[in-house]
Amino acid sequence: MKNKKGFIATSVIYSFFLVFLMLMVIILTSSVNNRVLVGRIKEDIRSEIDSQESFVTSFLESKTYQIGEVVDFANENWQVIQDKGNTVVLVLQRSLTKQEIIEAIGQEGNTQFYGTCSSNSSCQVRACFNATTTSMGGQMYCYFFSGNTKLYRIPSWQPTTAQIQNQNYGQTIVGAIVNSWFNTHQGLQRVLEDEKLVKMSINDGALTTKGYVRIPMTSEVSNTTNANKWATVKPFHILEKNSNTQTRIYNTSMQNVNSNTAAYVRPVIEVKEG
């Protein structure tokens, strides 16, 4: 009888021990799973903060690209202007929206800046102020005078402060918009950090500088056959100015127009392949 009671007591003790071990295994397994889940959530949050998930692709495949071909890069659709072999010149397939332009220059509903605009989509802006007084020009932007060329600021892409003060240069509205848009574009800043962009030489006919963004050049639209493959959003501004009182736009062909003429803005970048 004593042996029977001892056996029962031992069985109960081992049973409690086994239950205890099972509970410990369950708790440890749950803890490990929770750690894994928390780790994944942290990684997702980190990826979102770093903008790693904010665009589909951050590189271009090494291949031959056709003029007008649409590629996805830095969360935008671009059209190929030129394939240089190791790099590709791209133009934004769309034009900049009214909201993007407002965020860039801080102006809304001012006809001295804007031409035809749609609230949620494309918007035309002027290269220079459509102004009649010197006070509208300031030191930032060029402005257009139809009757007094002596007070006219020579428009250029991105002059320095000294050049503005000493040589009467004024930055174009388009230049200010494109540079501000590029500097605040999350996807483009990410690929810039990854050294995927090429610094281009920018010569607008007044000054020569270097930068990672510009607008289309005359040479890129002078070939009508090629231009017809990508110049679907028009009229748009062209980089070079024709004279101190004229700029250029592309519509069905390249046109020399007054510097206060409104047109769409389509940024251009150069990207490394691979």
Side-chain angles (χ1 to χ4, degrees):
M1 189 72 177
K2 288 182 179 179
N3 291 337
K4 198 170 186 179
K5 288 182 178 179
F7 176 76
I8 292 172
T10 303
S11 298
V12 170
I13 291 171
Y14 274 108
S15 296
F16 277 116
F17 181 67
L18 289 173
V19 171
F20 173 76
L21 288 178
M22 291 177 64
L23 287 174
M24 289 298 295
V25 170
I26 292 171
I27 291 171
L28 288 173
T29 302
S30 177
S31 177
V32 170
N33 287 335
N34 286 339
R35 282 175 175 272
V36 172
L37 290 173
V38 170
R40 287 177 179 174
I41 291 171
K42 286 182 177 179
E43 186 61 32
D44 289 343
I45 293 173
R46 189 178 296 110
S47 295
E48 186 64 28
I49 292 174
D50 290 341
S51 303
Q52 292 176 345
E53 305 298 331
S54 64
F55 48 87
V56 178
T57 180
S58 60
F59 68 95
L60 290 183
E61 180 185 356
S62 293
K63 67 169 194 174
T64 300
Y65 289 89
Q66 303 300 317
I67 304 299
E69 181 178 348
V70 178
V71 298
D72 181 22
F73 184 75
N75 201 31
E76 297 281 2
N77 287 328
W78 305 80
Q79 287 180 280
V80 176
I81 292 179
Q82 183 182 3
D83 186 344
K84 293 185 174 181
N86 295 324
T87 65
V88 184
V89 181
L90 305 174
V91 63
L92 193 65
Q93 186 180 29
R94 63 179 178 86
S95 66
L96 297 189
T97 66
K98 184 176 183 179
Q99 187 57 41
E100 288 172 323
I101 294 170
I102 292 171
E103 290 174 358
I105 60 175
Q107 298 288 334
E108 183 174 6
N110 189 335
T111 57
Q112 291 172 321
F113 288 87
Y114 296 96
T116 303
C117 285
S118 174
S119 298
N120 300 315
S121 57
S122 301
C123 187
Q124 295 183 15
V125 292
R126 307 178 193 281
C128 298
F129 279 116
N130 186 25
T132 55
T133 62
T134 56
S135 61
M136 292 304 300
Q139 292 295 316
M140 186 71 176
Y141 306 109
C142 63
Y143 46 86
F144 174 81
F145 290 99
S146 59
N148 192 341
T149 56
K150 292 181 180 180
L151 296 177
Y152 177 79
R153 270 201 186 292
I154 300 171
S156 58
W157 180 254
Q158 197 173 16
T160 64
T161 300
Q163 288 169 328
I164 291 174
Q165 294 174 346
N166 299 329
Q167 301 181 37
N168 201 33
Y169 287 116
Q171 186 178 20
T172 62
I173 296 171
V174 176
I177 289 171
V178 171
N179 282 295
S180 177
W181 175 81
F182 175 82
N183 291 333
T184 56
H185 192 288
Q186 194 175 53
L188 289 172
Q189 291 306 302
R190 179 72 185 182
V191 296
L192 178 61
E193 291 176 1
D194 293 339
E195 300 182 346
K196 300 294 178 63
L197 300 181
V198 177
K199 185 170 282 189
M200 300 172 287
S201 178
I202 300 172
N203 186 337
D204 63 1
L207 297 174
T208 299
T209 184
K210 286 185 175 293
Y212 290 102
V213 66
R214 58 174 172 82
I215 54 176
M217 297 188 301
T218 298
S219 59
E220 292 165 340
V221 296
S222 58
N223 185 325
T224 306
T225 301
N226 285 343
N228 286 340
K229 297 177 181 178
W230 60 267
T232 52
V233 178
K234 52 195 178 186
F236 57 82
H237 287 284
I238 297 175
L239 179 64
E240 296 92 343
K241 68 187 184 67
N242 185 51
S243 67
N244 288 348
T245 59
Q246 284 189 318
T247 187
R248 289 175 177 171
I249 64 170
Y250 180 85
N251 202 338
T252 54
S253 62
M254 188 182 68
Q255 300 173 7
N256 295 320
V257 295
N258 288 336
S259 291
N260 62 345
T261 301
Y264 295 119
V265 180
R266 300 183 65 186
V268 171
I269 58 174
E270 187 171 342
V271 183
K272 298 176 183 177
E273 291 187 15

